[in-house]
Amino acid sequence: MAVREQQQKKLTSDPYHIELVSSNYLTKRTVLPKMERLKKKSSPELDGNFHPLFVVEFCDDVNSELLDWLVTRLRAGKSIGGAELLVGRVADKDGKERILHVGATRQRLLEAAEMCGLRKRHRDGFLRDFTCRDMQGFISDGKDVDSILNETEQQRLVEHEMTNIRALECDTHLPGYEKLTLYVGKSIVQKCINNKIILQMYPLHDKEALKELGHEWYQQFFQKQPLEAIRSYFGEKLGIYFAFLGFYTMSLIPPAFIGLIYFFTSWEDMNKSTFFAGFNLVWVTVFLEAWKRNCCELSYAWGTINMVHMEDPRPAFKGVMGKNLVTGRNEPTFPERQRNLRIYGVSVPIVVCCLLVAIYVMLVYFRMEFWAQARYKDNPSLFNSLLLLLPVCFYAGVVIAMNAAYRLVAFKLTHWENHRLQSSYENHLIVKLVLFNFMNCFMSLFYIAFVIQDMALLRRSLATLLITLQIVGQAQETLLPYLMKKYQKWCLQKEGKDPAQKIDQRELEMRQQIYPGVFDDYLELFLQFGYVFLFSSAYPLAAFWALLNNILEIRTDAFKLCRVFQRPLSQLASSIGAWQMAFEIMGVIAVITNCALIAQSPQARKFFPDSNETQLLMIFVGVEHLILAFKVCLAYVIPDTPDWVNIAVARIDYESRQALKTERSNRARKTFQEQTVPAELLTSELAGAIETEI
């Protein structure tokens, strides 16, 4: 106690003191006297007043030693393992300083942008890797240095620098938590997140920019989406999603229009159904190929085309310590053989069991359906006619519930498989969810179409499943956000605060829900895509209902992002990833199902009266192969990347190689000059070397 009192007296009398950065090395910095710091209760004088970009919230019982140590590491210089960020400590409603506001100086952000290889548009109109040396080339006319990086990019850079604070050789464990050990190269912030010491990290909203974006986006119902503003505020990954959603919605207009006309005319006409199915199958290919071109244009304009990203291990990845052969750093390793054993020995059998449960539930539904049809056949009363809708409505609800339950199972299994990279984790998760949801949602339709062969029941079941899925989805998209906003107001009233009064924006954002990402949104679009095109010859109105739903979906998703959820951290993306392949596979299956539906229709038998079933089957198998071949040819004819993008990328690559040659030449000249080589020999040798290289 005596030693501690002496240290406290020293702190109050001397404005200079030594702060522990790690267990073995120290750094000296100027701070305010302790009494001044207690008065300010914010960032030290080293940081000054700054605009916070990120908020980090720690748990209520966080160890003060860890918090002080982490703040010091965030402020410390890069040369001694810090991040050189600006940090302010803020008290919560109970007076505990467990909330950090994090920002960075302009110089620090520009340095981080160069180190991360951030691509920005140059004055010459091309995208180039940002460099501080050529800073003036990235400043637009009439702008200043502050315009180089928008707020979204600044927040991404700050988050990158925070999570990139890694344990040194002297850091054996988190201070105050001896059981939470560290290894060299481990991200300290991720360690705190994994162990629930850090509850949440999120970037702050820009109130004025968000208000302007909302006015251009969800308040203008029939206006085109402001994709550039969405990307600038929320990042490339969300920008790509909303671009895909808008592009897919626009592509639904032709099949919706044709289907609406055909639905109110005589549909039992083979010529009409064949034309509509053929049009949809070709249109699917055109849509997917056109989207790839549009996506390439967006990714080039946003600087993510041909993006190369060296992934770090997932925060949840566990294993024994070993050396990474690529980076040379020590990090956890997990045998691939053991992971495959978990996948094929445990995950696959569990997925198969879930599929068997889905099959059993489907058979129960058909027993209910046959029972309702038998009652109606015996007594075609109004009650029994309404009873015909009960089995399919019940089954639609069960399908949605089973999808939600299986989603939890899929996440648990994929997490337990212990994938090292986030991309591998997401790909395995997509395979599980797509497989089960496809079987669970479409298996009954395949059974009705090709086993029972009841087109009326197929049409009724498809319409019920599609509309029920969209109603439930819209309820989750609109009703839940409304209830969440009401709950936030109720919490403020319970604490004695008037919601009508001006409340600190950061406090409001801390209470908001964390944005769950676009994974479920892509899955919802994938299922809708299947309902529209798999059996398009059976139910022509499917595209119309999907079109109406997506028009609302764009606005409700926009409202949630702007008003309900915390601002998500912007993420780079150049495409929709594995979902592109999932949609293309669905398009191939749609060719097979629609050809089979037309082949078994009575009109097809009338069209080929002299053919038996085997010959008729062979005819339509040949037609199906011709359509698939046409899809392949169409995909080949339509290039994935526009010519102007290829030329622009090639020019950037050429100029980069030329700049590298010039740099090597200058370096060689400097080396020869330092060795005092005669100028005549230097000029002739370098000229020969450059001529040979060219």
Side-chain angles (χ1 to χ4, degrees):
M1 291 294 294
V3 176
R4 189 170 183 177
E5 289 178 359
Q6 291 178 2
Q7 292 176 347
Q8 295 291 339
K9 290 180 180 179
K10 185 177 180 180
L11 287 174
T12 56
S13 60
D14 186 6
Y16 300 93
H17 71 279
I18 301 297
E19 285 198 357
L20 186 66
V21 176
S22 72
S23 57
N24 280 6
Y25 67 89
L26 302 173
T27 182
K28 177 182 285 188
R29 62 183 180 85
T30 306
V31 295
L32 290 175
K34 183 180 178 184
M35 299 304 296
E36 292 294 326
R37 292 182 65 184
L38 290 175
K39 290 179 182 179
K40 287 197 170 186
K41 289 189 176 180
S42 62
S43 169
E45 190 178 13
L46 175 68
D47 293 348
N49 296 323
F50 67 94
H51 173 62
L53 297 169
F54 234 87
V55 174
V56 183
E57 181 186 2
F58 289 81
C59 59
D60 291 331
D61 57 347
V62 60
N63 190 292
S64 58
E65 183 182 358
L66 170 65
L67 192 56
D68 294 339
W69 178 75
L70 189 56
V71 169
T72 305
R73 289 293 295 268
L74 288 170
R75 292 169 175 164
K78 293 282 289 184
S79 59
I80 54 175
E84 292 187 24
L85 298 176
L86 307 177
V87 185
R89 297 179 65 167
V90 180
D92 61 7
K93 60 182 180 180
D94 298 324
K96 298 179 181 179
E97 290 189 349
R98 61 181 185 88
I99 300 171
L100 302 182
H101 288 173
V102 186
T105 62
R106 177 203 301 165
Q107 178 181 348
R108 182 71 187 89
L109 290 170
L110 294 175
E111 290 175 357
E114 180 174 356
M115 293 300 298
C116 292
L118 184 67
R119 291 181 179 176
K120 299 293 294 182
R121 190 165 296 280
H122 200 267
R123 277 188 173 181
D124 59 8
F126 289 94
L127 289 169
R128 302 184 185 278
D129 291 344
F130 173 79
T131 59
C132 294
R133 183 172 57 183
D134 190 23
M135 187 185 307
Q136 295 299 323
F138 295 91
I139 301 176
S140 303
D141 295 334
K143 302 287 185 178
D144 55 12
V145 179
D146 292 330
S147 65
I148 296 177
L149 300 175
N150 59 41
E151 190 177 60
T152 301
E153 292 168 336
Q154 295 176 19
Q155 291 170 341
R156 186 165 64 234
L157 292 171
V158 167
E159 191 270 344
H160 175 269
E161 294 301 314
M162 282 195 297
T163 56
N164 209 37
I165 299 178
R166 302 188 179 276
L168 306 174
E169 293 182 0
C170 50
D171 299 322
T172 57
H173 60 83
L174 293 178
Y177 299 88
E178 295 184 0
K179 294 183 178 180
L180 301 181
T181 59
L182 296 170
Y183 59 86
V184 177
K186 173 66 178 177
S187 172
I188 296 173
V189 172
Q190 287 293 353
K191 183 74 173 181
C192 294
I193 294 174
N194 295 344
N195 291 277
K196 310 299 183 183
I197 298 174
I198 293 180
L199 299 181
Q200 57 178 344
M201 291 174 50
Y202 58 91
L204 288 170
H205 275 295
D206 184 338
K207 209 169 183 180
E208 294 301 323
L210 189 65
K211 183 178 180 181
E212 182 179 352
L213 175 60
H215 177 73
E216 296 178 1
W217 196 4
Y218 63 84
Q219 294 180 9
Q220 304 294 329
F221 201 80
F222 293 103
Q223 294 292 330
K224 189 178 180 180
Q225 292 188 93
L227 292 179
E228 185 60 37
I230 296 170
R231 170 255 173 182
S232 179
Y233 192 86
F234 290 110
E236 286 76 11
K237 190 170 185 177
L238 278 169
I240 289 289
Y241 164 71
F242 281 101
F244 176 76
L245 177 57
F247 197 86
Y248 169 55
T249 302
M250 293 296 294
S251 72
L252 287 174
I253 293 177
F257 179 74
I258 298 174
L260 199 63
I261 295 175
Y262 278 11
F263 184 80
F264 292 105
T265 59
S266 177
W267 183 248
E268 299 299 329
D269 187 316
M270 182 185 175
N271 293 331
K272 290 183 178 180
S273 60
T274 303
F275 170 78
F276 185 65
F279 170 80
N280 279 350
L281 298 179
V282 174
W283 189 248
V284 166
T285 305
V286 173
F287 153 65
L288 292 174
E289 294 303 316
W291 160 249
K292 284 192 283 188
R293 289 175 61 85
N294 185 63
C295 187
C296 279
E297 294 176 358
L298 289 175
S299 61
Y300 171 76
W302 295 346
T304 58
I305 192 169
N306 298 332
M307 180 178 60
V308 178
H309 177 59
M310 181 66 71
E311 290 188 81
D312 290 327
R314 291 175 54 242
F317 175 67
K318 299 178 181 179
V320 296
M321 293 301 299
K323 180 172 287 188
N324 188 317
L325 298 179
V326 177
T327 63
R329 294 192 311 216
N330 290 327
E331 61 183 40
T333 59
F334 190 74
E336 190 69 23
R337 178 182 58 191
Q338 189 172 347
R339 183 180 297 111
N340 291 335
L341 184 62
R342 291 187 177 187
I343 294 174
Y344 299 108
V346 179
S347 295
V348 171
I350 291 178
V351 172
V352 171
C353 290
C354 292
L355 295 177
L356 293 176
V357 171
I359 293 174
Y360 177 77
V361 172
M362 180 196 69
L363 296 176
V364 172
Y365 153 65
F366 282 121
R367 290 190 63 179
M368 295 175 60
E369 183 69 38
F370 297 151
W371 170 77
Q373 290 182 0
R375 281 183 60 95
Y376 181 77
K377 186 176 181 180
D378 295 338
N379 182 18
S381 61
L382 178 62
F383 174 77
N384 287 336
S385 63
L386 295 176
L387 196 63
L388 287 174
L389 299 175
L390 179 62
V392 67
C393 292
F394 171 76
Y395 183 63
V398 171
V399 164
I400 295 173
M402 290 179 64
N403 285 343
Y406 179 78
R407 182 180 182 277
L408 299 177
V409 175
F411 271 92
K412 290 286 186 181
L413 287 176
T414 311
H415 175 76
W416 179 72
E417 290 167 4
N418 198 27
H419 295 278
R420 179 179 177 274
L421 301 179
Q422 183 66 25
S423 58
S424 176
Y425 172 86
E426 291 180 356
N427 290 338
H428 281 79
L429 182 61
I430 288 174
V431 170
K432 291 184 182 68
L433 289 177
V434 166
L435 177 62
F436 180 83
N437 282 268
F438 181 85
M439 293 289 291
N440 194 37
C441 294
F442 302 119
M443 183 171 46
S444 61
L445 300 178
F446 279 99
Y447 189 85
I448 295 171
F450 304 117
V451 178
I452 303 177
Q453 297 186 5
D454 187 342
M455 294 298 291
L457 179 59
L458 174 63
R459 192 174 297 116
R460 185 170 71 246
S461 299
L462 195 154
T464 305
L465 287 172
L466 174 62
I467 295 174
T468 303
L469 176 70
Q470 295 186 160
I471 290 176
V472 173
Q474 285 300 326
Q476 294 176 343
E477 302 282 345
T478 55
L479 183 60
L480 287 182
Y482 175 78
L483 295 177
M484 288 164 62
K485 293 290 288 185
K486 288 291 184 182
Y487 176 74
Q488 291 172 6
K489 291 183 179 180
W490 178 80
C491 289
L492 292 174
Q493 292 175 349
K494 188 177 179 180
E495 295 176 6
K497 298 180 180 179
D498 185 4
Q501 295 179 353
K502 188 175 181 180
I503 303 173
D504 184 52
Q505 177 191 356
R506 299 161 192 170
E507 182 180 354
L508 286 175
E509 291 184 33
M510 189 176 297
R511 299 172 183 270
Q512 290 179 326
Q513 297 291 319
I514 299 175
Y515 182 65
V518 297
F519 193 93
D520 291 334
D521 295 319
Y522 277 123
L523 182 60
E524 181 182 347
L525 291 179
F526 171 78
L527 296 177
Q528 183 197 89
F529 185 82
Y531 283 124
V532 171
F533 293 104
L534 278 180
F535 304 96
S536 57
S537 59
Y539 187 58
L541 275 184
F544 174 74
W545 295 121
L547 176 62
L548 291 182
N549 175 81
N550 289 358
I551 293 174
L552 293 174
E553 182 83 13
I554 293 173
R555 268 64 200 180
T556 52
D557 283 352
F559 176 81
K560 287 190 305 180
L561 272 171
C562 295
R563 300 291 298 275
V564 177
F565 291 112
Q566 291 177 354
R567 184 175 185 173
L569 177 66
S570 65
Q571 298 179 24
L572 297 175
S574 58
S575 66
I576 62 176
W579 292 107
Q580 179 75 35
M581 180 60 67
F583 279 92
E584 290 181 356
I585 292 175
M586 184 71 82
V588 173
I589 299 175
V591 173
I592 301 173
T593 55
N594 281 279
C595 288
L597 281 175
I598 296 173
Q600 70 179 20
S601 64
Q603 292 80 9
R605 299 180 187 277
K606 294 178 181 178
F607 196 79
F608 300 100
D610 299 331
S611 301
N612 55 34
E613 292 186 0
T614 304
Q615 293 173 334
L616 190 63
L617 177 62
M618 294 301 295
I619 291 173
F620 280 91
V621 167
V623 172
E624 173 246 331
H625 278 66
L626 287 176
I627 295 177
L628 289 176
F630 180 74
K631 283 172 64 68
V632 173
C633 293
L634 196 61
Y636 179 78
V637 170
I638 304 176
D640 294 345
T641 307
D643 290 338
W644 70 269
V645 174
N646 285 327
I647 294 173
V649 172
R651 179 174 177 178
I652 293 174
D653 182 62
Y654 168 77
E655 292 182 352
S656 298
R657 285 187 281 108
Q658 292 299 112
L660 181 61
K661 289 180 181 179
T662 303
E663 183 179 354
R664 288 176 176 175
S665 175
N666 293 335
R667 192 183 306 165
R669 288 177 181 273
K670 184 177 180 181
T671 302
F672 278 110
Q673 289 173 356
E674 291 176 352
Q675 295 177 357
T676 64
V677 178
E680 298 80 4
L681 179 61
L682 173 65
T683 305
S684 61
E685 287 184 356
L686 285 178
I690 295 174
E691 183 178 358
T692 303
E693 186 176 9
I694 294 175

